[in-house]
Amino acid sequence: MPSYSEHEPWGLGGGGVASRDLAVGVISLSQTVVGILGNFLFLYQNVTIQLRGHRLKPLDFILRHLIFANILALLSKGPPQTVAAFGLRHFLGDPGCKLVFYVHRVAAGVSFSTTCLLSVLQAIMISPRNSTWTSLKGKAPKYAGFTLYLCWILHLLVNTFVFTYVSGKWSSTNTTKQKDVGYCSITRLDTITATLLAAFLSPPSTLSFGLMTLASGYMVFTLYRHHRQVRHIPRTNRSAGSPPETRAAQRILALVSTFLAFYMLCTIFVTYMLVFNHPSWWLINISSLMRSCFPTVSPFLLMSPDTCVSRLCSACCRRNNLVPNQVRKL
């Protein structure tokens, strides 16, 4: 296994932390803190709205699973990378490396599946009444919970391969067959094993990616057609603001677009890491930071003024005995 000393001017016994390692540590720590706070803030907002008497919708239930997966992904990637960047690379050991890699892969997979489910369900919900999706509008939300739990179970089972191929840097495994990926190492796979593993893992990701892309395209088409239809209606006859379904679709569309962009970038970096036997310092760290971007950004894309402010204003208006029409305008 290649020594990390070729990428850094310090070892276990002395020297300071290189400036670039310090920069990565600060970025990783900031990313983790902002992401955790954002996800908990969205979760708090979601739970508060339910406690105020609003009914929990299937989309809200899916979003809670997404937020939980985001938190797991950030906690399993950010702290280890931050500690390693600040100078302690061998702190996890073999069991710790296996655990954090396993948790991160499960969380990332559930995040992928949940985002796909969100886009498909929202595409069904905003479809016109005369479309072929009409019959699914009442059925699809009922199976959301079952689908989510099935996703968790499948990802928990599929990613058990991590326990075989990931190890700590102090592992007794033959180091000539190990690839250094920062604070842990992975086993170099021969061509046949790598091909079989890719064939086993690729179909679910490819299917989810395709469904997400099709659902997003359908939402864009539906929203564009709706915009063209209402453009000819006089403003006095239009309801104030966009319908809730449209606003929800726009937020989920932004979420899916962001996910697809980061997913494609991460795929490129991971492919390069698999191709090169000795991935560079930049490749390892940029890839790790990139994987935490979506869990960090997604709660802020989902939070919007109308989900919290308008409902809070409505509650305040009811206390002040304002009429319902005034509440809706708020």
Side-chain angles (χ1 to χ4, degrees):
M1 179 175 61
S3 171
Y4 226 83
S5 59
E6 63 183 0
H7 303 304
E8 60 193 18
W10 48 269
L12 287 175
V17 179
S19 58
R20 62 181 184 180
D21 291 304
L22 182 62
V24 168
V26 171
I27 294 173
S28 179
L29 180 61
S30 303
Q31 194 179 47
T32 304
V33 171
V34 171
I36 293 295
L37 289 177
N39 280 281
F40 272 111
L41 180 61
F42 179 82
L43 186 61
Y44 170 77
Q45 170 186 307
N46 190 272
V47 172
T48 302
I49 289 173
Q50 184 185 7
L51 293 176
R52 290 181 178 274
H54 293 275
R55 182 183 175 186
L56 184 65
K57 298 180 181 179
L59 286 179
D60 296 322
F61 184 69
I62 298 173
L63 288 173
R64 289 187 182 183
H65 281 260
L66 176 62
I67 294 302
F68 183 64
N70 284 345
I71 293 172
L72 285 180
L74 289 169
L75 290 177
S76 59
K77 177 61 68 175
Q81 186 180 19
T82 302
V83 174
F86 286 149
L88 188 60
R89 294 195 180 276
H90 308 283
F91 65 99
L92 282 175
D94 196 52
C97 278
K98 293 179 186 294
L99 180 61
V100 296
F101 266 74
Y102 176 71
V103 172
H104 186 267
R105 279 199 60 88
V106 170
V110 172
S111 179
F112 194 167
S113 301
T114 306
T115 307
C116 176
L117 183 60
L118 268 175
S119 60
V120 172
L121 184 59
Q122 188 61 43
I124 293 174
M125 298 307 292
I126 69 168
S127 60
R129 295 180 180 179
N130 57 352
S131 70
T132 56
W133 300 99
T134 305
S135 60
L136 296 175
K137 282 189 176 184
K139 298 178 181 179
K142 297 178 182 178
Y143 296 101
F146 170 78
T147 306
L148 284 171
Y149 290 122
L150 182 62
C151 288
W152 278 103
I153 293 172
L154 289 177
H155 286 292
L156 286 169
L157 294 175
V158 166
N159 289 291
T160 51
F161 77 92
V162 167
F163 296 113
T164 303
Y165 297 108
V166 176
S167 60
K169 285 196 165 186
W170 289 112
S171 174
S172 58
T173 309
N174 186 356
T175 57
T176 59
K177 296 182 179 180
Q178 297 296 103
K179 179 184 294 187
D180 193 341
V181 290
Y183 47 86
C184 294
S185 57
I186 59 175
T187 304
R188 289 197 185 98
L189 304 178
D190 58 80
T191 305
I192 297 177
T193 305
T195 303
L196 291 175
L197 188 61
F200 176 67
L201 297 176
S202 296
S205 300
T206 304
L207 178 61
S208 297
F209 187 87
L211 288 174
M212 209 181 304
T213 305
L214 290 175
S216 301
Y218 180 76
M219 281 192 284
V220 170
F221 172 75
T222 303
L223 292 175
Y224 173 73
R225 186 170 60 179
H226 173 73
H227 174 72
R228 292 197 62 180
Q229 290 173 346
V230 301
R231 187 175 57 182
H232 303 290
I233 301 175
R235 289 186 177 272
T236 54
N237 295 334
R238 298 186 202 176
S239 58
S242 303
E245 295 82 1
T246 301
R247 295 196 298 271
Q250 290 170 345
R251 290 197 301 276
I252 292 176
L253 193 58
L255 178 77
V256 173
S257 301
T258 304
F259 178 87
L260 292 176
F262 284 127
Y263 177 79
M264 293 176 67
L265 288 174
C266 287
T267 302
I268 294 172
F269 281 112
V270 170
T271 302
Y272 272 104
M273 289 183 67
L274 293 175
V275 169
F276 295 111
N277 288 329
H278 308 297
S280 67
W281 179 93
W282 292 104
L283 193 59
I284 292 172
N285 286 280
I286 292 177
S287 176
S288 295
L289 292 173
M290 192 67 66
R291 292 175 191 174
S292 297
C293 285
F294 177 74
T296 301
V297 173
S298 57
F300 298 101
L301 293 174
L302 292 168
M303 283 188 286
S304 65
D306 63 273
T307 50
C308 57
V309 176
S310 66
R311 289 179 176 176
L312 290 176
C313 285
S314 298
C316 293
C317 290
R318 284 194 294 269
R319 291 175 190 170
N320 293 327
N321 297 320
L322 292 180
V323 295
N325 288 333
Q326 291 173 309
V327 172
R328 289 195 194 96
K329 292 178 180 180
L330 291 174

